[in-house]
Amino acid sequence: MTSTVDLPSADLRRELWNARVESDMRQRYFSRMAQRAQGWDRVFRVAVFFTSSATGVTAVSDLGLGPALFAFVTALLVAISFMLEFGSVAMKHTGFAVAWSRIHEETLALWSESERGALPHDELRAALRDIHRRIEPIDQQSIPHRVNTKVLTQCFEQAEAYAFAG
């Protein structure tokens, strides 16, 4: 007696494929955005250090610019850095990248099982539902952050190329 496994439908396999590409894209995106925020945080820290140091004031004074200008620039840099919170944004984006990386690993494992024919339709549907439930809080937490569509598009193209290559 052989048992038949109800293989996942084409629509469900497409949904899994899309989840695989999307999770890879978002992991890449948030990693890249974390790196950018961290880079900007460093730039602002160095600029504030330079503009607030005696060496910076002396160097600019030789150009005919007074210390009042440097004090203004320092205050402006600190205010911008405070408002944009690059360090905090970098940490949040790193957390999002880690969460998306876990989801991507799961979708890859599901895809492999599905390709081997070892995953029945109902189990795959339940696993995808569970993944979608875990995505929702990540999306809610990332809403306040502006989306860089150029970087997102690049990450999508990379994720899609990776998926088709593997």
Side-chain angles (χ1 to χ4, degrees), residues 73-94:
V73 169
T74 301
L76 184 63
L77 288 172
V78 169
I80 291 170
S81 180
F82 179 73
M83 296 282 291
L84 297 178
E85 299 179 308
F86 289 119
S88 175
V89 169
M91 286 178 42
K92 287 177 185 174
H93 282 169
T94 299

Side-chain angles (χ1 to χ4, degrees), residues 119-139:
L119 198 59
H121 181 88
D122 291 338
E123 283 183 38
L124 177 56
R125 181 184 306 277
L128 278 173
R129 247 188 246 125
D130 181 55
I131 287 172
H132 286 299
R133 274 193 286 272
R134 291 197 338 265
I135 289 172
E136 196 172 314
I138 301 168
D139 284 347

Side-chain angles (χ1 to χ4, degrees), residues 5-160:
V5 175
D6 186 18
L7 294 176
S9 67
D11 287 342
L12 191 58
R13 288 176 40 79
R14 190 174 309 107
E15 184 180 343
L16 175 58
W17 176 266
N18 291 341
R20 174 185 169 186
V21 172
E22 180 184 15
S23 60
D24 186 17
M25 171 192 69
R26 289 190 182 204
Q27 182 275 323
R28 290 171 188 267
Y29 173 79
F30 284 115
S31 292
R32 183 128 4 120
M33 295 309 291
Q35 290 170 348
R36 282 184 170 199
Q38 191 173 30
W40 278 111
D41 187 49
R42 274 193 217 111
V43 165
F44 273 87
R45 287 175 191 254
V46 167
V48 167
F49 174 76
F50 180 75
T51 61
S52 64
S53 72
T55 304
V57 172
T58 304
V60 174
S61 294
D62 290 345
L63 297 175
L65 303 173
L69 176 65
F70 250 53
F72 175 75
V73 169
T74 301
L76 184 63
L77 288 172
V78 169
I80 291 170
S81 180
F82 179 73
M83 296 282 291
L84 297 178
E85 299 179 308
F86 289 119
S88 175
V89 169
M91 286 178 42
K92 287 177 185 174
H93 282 169
T94 299
F96 298 148
V98 168
W100 277 108
S101 178
R102 288 184 187 129
I103 290 170
H104 183 242
E105 288 171 14
E106 255 185 79
T107 59
L108 283 176
L110 285 173
W111 181 259
S112 294
E113 284 186 59
S114 176
E115 286 295 287
R116 286 188 327 212
L119 198 59
H121 181 88
D122 291 338
E123 283 183 38
L124 177 56
R125 181 184 306 277
L128 278 173
R129 247 188 246 125
D130 181 55
I131 287 172
H132 286 299
R133 274 193 286 272
R134 291 197 338 265
I135 289 172
E136 196 172 314
I138 301 168
D139 284 347
Q140 288 175 352
Q141 291 173 16
S142 66
I143 285 172
H145 302 281
R146 184 182 69 83
V147 175
N148 184 322
T149 54
K150 181 180 176 183
V151 173
L152 188 63
T153 301
Q154 290 170 350
C155 292
F156 173 74
E157 290 167 358
Q158 292 170 350
E160 191 175 52

